[in-house]
Amino acid sequence: MNFHHEGREEETTTTVTDKESKVARDGHARFWMFNDIRVFSALVFIIIVVHASVLSFTSGILYTLEKRYGLNSEQLAILQTVNSISVMCTMPFIAHIFGKPTDHRPRWLGFGVVVLGIAYLVNVLPQFVFPPYEYDKVGNYSSGGPAAGSGLCGTSPTIGGGDGGCDEAKQDASAESQRAYAIFVVGNALSGFGYGFLGSLSLSYIDDFAGRKAALLLGFADGAWGLGLPLGFGVLGVACLSQYVDFNRVDMAEIDIDESDPRWVGAWWLVGLVGGPLIILLSVPLFFFPKRLPMDEDDRVKEEEENEEEQRNSTEVSFLHGVKGDRENVYKVTE
């Protein structure tokens, strides 16, 4: 009995080894989870939820950015559209250059997701590059926000060090506003570029290797937006904007305003600071997926049957064209 048992173990080990070698020769991953399209789809689902949450949260804090950095309506409109313009301009080229079956789409997808994480971190840079927000202690004006920096400064020469000091403060506030705006434009453009990889390569990869489950898995990927958008705009927006913008840099005991005060600015940067490293971490498993995934036996047989049927139809069409050409030649000779 022991000899039979050892023989079975040896046979099983040999079978597993042969299977692993075959998988390696076929270019597939050695670990089963990276050979499963369902794992890939679940990972894409989570990444899209994170991206949709950050994107909708960014749209919901435009008024906060307007108040904090003095952005005007034209600048806010550009920030709203630069992401979409970037996606529109880059996605067709990304799909054409990196979306072919011979390309390693998961790795390029991982690269695009890393770009998304970098874009989130770029968008929160103004919070750490510029000094803390300072609101007017007297009126409903912000001396730290470039747009409202004129407040009481322009009406009284004794406040702000006179007219000269006031003009200098306005110039500093305007320069801060322009630099912050430039950073936001770069961050949103990078976000659109990164999503160009996510929106094209992930769906084509699922469609190629999901077989009969393709429609279901693509539906889940698309449904991730339905979860991420309200999560970012509602839940995360309320949670973050209820915190003071510089709670980590100032003594909160000295802050004498609350959310009901028009001078209040919430922590608009929290979601981007957390979402950036999180989505970069989620991109790591994408680099381990192979160029091609093994398909289920039923799906493979069905694909082979479809290819054979297509080839048969093509042969029949060629034959009919040949017969038609021979008849035309006969008619010409007869005439």
Side-chain angles (χ1 to χ4, degrees):
M1 290 294 293
N2 292 336
F3 289 106
H4 289 293
H5 182 66
E6 291 176 359
R8 289 180 181 177
E9 287 186 350
E10 184 177 356
E11 181 180 355
T12 303
T13 305
T14 304
T15 304
V16 172
T17 305
D18 292 342
K19 183 178 180 181
E20 289 181 352
S21 300
K22 182 178 183 300
V23 167
R25 289 196 303 268
D26 291 344
H28 300 148
R30 289 187 175 275
F31 299 101
W32 69 267
M33 72 280 295
F34 298 123
N35 283 321
D36 196 334
I37 191 62
R38 294 169 297 181
V39 176
F40 180 86
S41 301
L43 185 60
V44 169
F45 178 87
I46 298 173
I47 291 173
I48 293 178
V49 168
V50 174
H51 178 62
S53 300
V54 175
L55 200 63
S56 62
F57 178 82
T58 303
S59 300
I61 61 170
L62 291 179
Y63 175 71
T64 300
L65 297 180
E66 177 187 19
K67 184 163 48 174
R68 172 63 181 90
Y69 296 104
L71 305 180
N72 56 45
S73 57
E74 180 182 354
Q75 291 172 323
L76 294 178
I78 292 176
L79 289 181
Q80 276 285 77
T81 57
V82 67
N83 181 274
S84 300
I85 293 174
S86 178
V87 173
M88 180 182 66
C89 293
T90 59
M91 183 177 286
F93 298 100
I94 291 173
H96 175 70
I97 298 173
F98 305 111
K100 297 184 290 292
T102 55
D103 296 321
H104 206 302
R105 284 173 286 181
R107 290 181 183 174
W108 285 113
L109 175 59
F111 167 76
V113 176
V114 170
V115 172
L116 280 178
I118 295 174
Y120 302 162
L121 297 177
V122 169
N123 273 333
V124 303
L125 276 180
Q127 170 65 20
F128 303 98
V129 171
F130 302 120
Y133 170 69
E134 296 180 3
Y135 59 90
D136 197 323
K137 302 292 185 179
V138 179
N140 292 335
Y141 300 96
S142 166
S143 60
S150 56
L152 298 177
C153 183
T155 60
S156 174
T158 61
I159 299 177
D163 290 338
C166 180
D167 293 338
E168 185 178 351
K170 287 182 181 179
Q171 293 175 1
D172 293 341
S174 178
E176 177 180 318
S177 174
Q178 294 302 318
R179 290 196 296 269
Y181 172 66
I183 292 174
F184 292 140
V185 169
V186 172
N188 284 3
L190 281 176
S191 178
F193 175 71
Y195 181 73
F197 289 88
L198 177 61
S200 59
L201 303 186
S202 62
L203 301 184
S204 65
Y205 192 77
I206 293 174
D207 185 58
D208 283 351
F209 301 111
R212 293 177 297 176
K213 300 186 291 291
L216 176 63
L217 297 180
L218 290 174
F220 275 115
D222 195 38
W225 288 93
L227 176 62
L229 292 177
L231 177 64
F233 192 82
V235 178
L236 298 179
V238 172
C240 293
L241 295 183
S242 62
Q243 302 293 323
Y244 185 68
V245 61
D246 292 309
F247 70 89
N248 61 323
R249 297 199 288 176
V250 300
D251 184 6
M252 291 300 297
E254 299 179 358
I255 304 301
D256 57 355
I257 59 174
D258 55 20
E259 298 175 58
S260 61
D261 196 295
R263 296 169 293 175
W264 176 271
V265 172
W268 59 270
W269 49 274
L270 271 179
V271 169
L273 186 66
V274 175
L278 175 60
I279 204 168
I280 291 175
L281 183 64
L282 290 172
S283 73
V284 174
L286 292 172
F287 292 95
F288 294 94
F289 281 91
K291 184 186 299 185
R292 298 183 57 85
L293 284 177
M295 299 180 65
D296 293 338
E297 186 65 22
D298 294 339
D299 292 335
R300 187 184 62 79
V301 172
K302 184 178 179 181
E303 184 180 11
E304 290 179 356
E305 291 176 352
E306 291 177 352
N307 291 336
E308 290 177 359
E309 184 178 358
E310 183 178 356
Q311 186 176 1
R312 191 182 310 114
N313 293 335
S314 177
T315 304
E316 291 176 358
V317 170
S318 300
F319 175 75
L320 292 176
H321 280 299
V323 172
K324 183 179 179 181
D326 292 340
R327 287 180 179 177
E328 290 178 352
N329 292 332
V330 170
Y331 291 150
K332 288 180 181 179
V333 172
T334 304
E335 292 176 356

